Amino acid sequence: MSSAPRFDRGHTDDLMSFLAAAPSPYHAVAAAAERLEKAGFRQVLETDAWEGTTGGKYVLRGGAIIAWYVPEGAAPHTPFRIVGAHTDSPNLRVKPQPDMGAHGWRQIAVEIYGGPLLNSWLDRDLGLAGRLSLRDGTTRLVNIDRPLLRVPQLAIHMDRSIHEKGLQLDKQRHMQPIWGLGDVSDERGLISFLEQELGLAAGEVTGWDLMTHALEAPAHLGRDRELVAGPRMDNLLSVHSATAALAAASASPELGYIPVLAAFDHEENGSQADTGADGPLLGNVLERSVFARGGTYEDKARAFAGTVCLSSDTGHAVHPNYAERHDPTHHPRVNGGPILKVNVNQRYATDGSGRAVFAAACEKAHVPWQTFVSNNAMPCGTTIGPITAARHGIRTVDIGVAILSMHSARELCGAEDPYLLANALTAFLEG
């Protein structure tokens, strides 16, 4: 049975708004939760006892969100259909002692997060966003969305050999942004500045998780506006599509599964965190959902055995200037539909049975799809897919949208692919 497509170009426009509203993982999960609330989902706290009621629920923990919808009549052993993604992107993150400087310049000490293309962060106007922890134990989101920081590049006159030897950046010496002039020893430090911006008393901020973001807004690109340029597509594109798909699936009158969104933090540095895919968060939420509906360990085992997860993360479109770096028989193109990621060494979790599940969802949604395989001479990246499969014993399939400039401060995708992905994910979640 096929289903009519749910999403069109309006979904891509909404993605652009989502990217702009989510300069950090904490903002991303807040934006996802806001969309789910409009679809009738309600937050449940991990510290509360859970009831086995039907409907949409979600859990927030730091930069991660797990959301699910329990349809009427769902048995405790009802399997789950999960879309997994991640909320973090490579960037520059503020160190515990942020204030530094030299030669009359005030600078912010940053640490490199994940594997960014460092050159893409040079000579850009940067904002600052993230989470502040306050003395009373609460947290506050902060987003300084105006030109505040800049990592200045060395003038060509002082390194004329750059065209011969290439740009060489030392992560410690060359990536510390400037944000003003003056003596670093005075009282006008970064945290004092943020307290003033948020109207907080001096000394109220006792902890922070802060990161830079490029300020240029997402935009359509190309002769026919067939492309979209923007930040953090890896992997907020998947988070946004999965959120929309879950909201749409929750309105389906006949759900054979319990649809789930699992958006984790810290994928870019290995997923080993309490909010990462290698932590217990997803397993705990799914297990508690089974038990809250009166299930037993046997019911949980049955539910997990029938569960399938689509690990959705951006992948590589064939690059016109570097086509030789791609596999010669697999050339994913933008606007060609979502890609199925395959790697026999389990850097991706896809196998033949998983391929069949994904193909069925795309066929149901009338969505074209492609396959990505790495060139044998190139090391392959990985995702939350193998981690999810191994940690929870859940059949997992790696998919995504093909983009260019992955891990740049500004990435590029096709304008049709986000809504094609959302339609495929909706069909998958509906079962």
Side-chain angles (χ1 to χ4, degrees):
M1 182 181 68
S2 62
S3 60
R6 306 292 183 85
F7 302 103
D8 53 21
R9 281 280 185 134
H11 175 85
T12 301
D13 293 336
D14 189 63
L15 166 65
M16 296 165 69
S17 298
F18 186 82
L19 295 173
S24 78
Y26 315 109
H27 290 82
V29 298
E34 180 181 4
R35 284 163 166 77
L36 290 173
E37 287 274 350
K38 291 179 180 178
F41 285 67
R42 295 295 177 260
Q43 183 178 4
V44 294
L45 301 179
E46 293 183 83
T47 53
D48 288 348
W50 289 6
E51 299 177 351
T53 54
T54 59
K57 305 174 177 65
Y58 67 90
V59 165
L60 293 180
R61 184 192 290 187
I65 181 171
I66 310 293
W68 67 103
Y69 182 84
V70 180
E72 293 285 346
H77 60 269
T78 301
F80 300 93
R81 280 283 176 105
I82 306 168
V83 177
H86 67 87
T87 61
D88 59 319
S89 302
N91 54 23
L92 313 178
R93 301 207 171 187
V94 176
K95 289 184 175 180
Q97 296 183 20
D99 297 300
M100 61 177 295
H103 306 290
W105 295 100
R106 294 182 66 94
Q107 294 175 276
I108 300 301
V110 297
E111 191 172 3
I112 309 301
Y113 179 84
L117 287 170
L118 294 179
N119 62 293
S120 70
W121 289 89
L122 302 178
D123 294 335
R124 285 186 183 271
D125 297 338
L126 303 176
L128 195 67
R131 177 180 66 175
L132 300 176
S133 298
L134 307 185
R135 191 171 296 279
D136 62 4
T138 62
T139 59
R140 289 276 297 274
L141 296 185
V142 59
N143 181 13
I144 309 301
D145 200 34
R146 65 176 188 271
L148 183 68
L149 307 162
R150 184 182 177 94
V151 183
Q153 192 167 189
L154 184 66
I156 186 67
H157 312 78
M158 296 185 177
D159 187 8
R160 294 190 181 275
S161 65
I162 189 173
H163 294 305
E164 290 75 37
K165 68 180 183 180
L167 179 63
Q168 299 179 3
L169 295 171
D170 183 286
K171 293 180 180 179
Q172 178 60 42
R173 293 185 296 125
H174 299 152
M175 297 305 298
Q176 310 306 318
I178 61 172
W179 77 304
L181 302 173
D183 185 354
V184 72
S185 64
D186 67 26
E187 298 298 322
R188 297 177 300 129
L190 176 66
I191 304 306
S192 295
F193 165 78
L194 294 176
E195 288 173 336
Q196 293 173 12
E197 286 286 308
L198 270 66
L200 300 172
E204 196 167 346
V205 174
T206 56
W208 50 88
D209 301 281
L210 299 168
M211 58 206 72
T212 59
H213 63 276
L215 293 176
E216 190 176 1
H220 285 285
L221 184 145
R223 182 190 64 185
D224 299 317
R225 294 166 58 87
E226 67 266 47
L227 302 170
V228 173
R232 299 177 294 281
M233 291 183 182
D234 179 14
N235 186 34
L236 294 187
L237 189 159
S238 293
V239 174
H240 175 259
S241 287
T243 302
L246 177 60
S250 70
S252 176
E254 296 182 6
L255 283 176
Y257 300 86
I258 295 174
V260 180
L261 160 67
F264 301 100
D265 199 355
H266 295 298
E267 188 273 346
E268 297 292 356
N269 59 8
S271 295
Q272 292 185 323
D274 71 311
T275 53
D278 203 19
L281 181 59
L282 175 61
N284 287 349
V285 168
L286 299 184
E287 186 176 73
R288 291 183 68 179
S289 174
V290 170
F291 294 164
R293 285 177 280 123
T296 64
Y297 178 84
E298 183 72 11
D299 290 314
K300 174 212 163 184
R302 293 174 65 189
F304 276 41
T307 292
V308 184
C309 174
L310 291 188
S311 164
S312 182
D313 203 346
T314 53
H316 304 290
V318 61
H319 197 303
N321 299 338
Y322 301 91
E324 73 282 357
R325 293 178 178 265
H326 297 262
D327 181 82
T329 58
H330 296 80
H331 282 170
R333 298 187 176 189
V334 298
N335 288 333
I339 56 174
L340 179 76
K341 300 180 180 181
V342 178
N343 179 263
V344 296
N345 294 303
Q346 288 297 291
R347 300 292 285 172
Y348 304 131
T350 305
D351 63 9
S353 65
R355 183 183 192 274
V357 171
F358 179 62
C362 290
E363 181 179 356
K364 178 183 177 184
H366 305 288
V367 168
W369 59 280
Q370 313 172 80
T371 304
F372 173 82
V373 180
S374 288
N375 186 310
N376 287 338
M378 301 283 173
C380 178
T382 191
T383 68
I384 66 167
I387 294 171
T388 302
R391 181 170 183 86
H392 305 294
I394 290 172
R395 182 164 49 145
T396 303
V397 189
D398 272 295
I399 67 161
V401 161
I403 69 171
L404 291 182
S405 305
M406 186 184 293
H407 286 199
S408 172
R410 193 168 178 83
E411 298 164 324
L412 185 71
C413 78
E416 297 176 13
D417 284 327
Y419 69 80
L420 292 175
L421 175 65
N423 284 325
L425 295 182
T426 303
F428 165 75
L429 291 176
E430 289 177 339

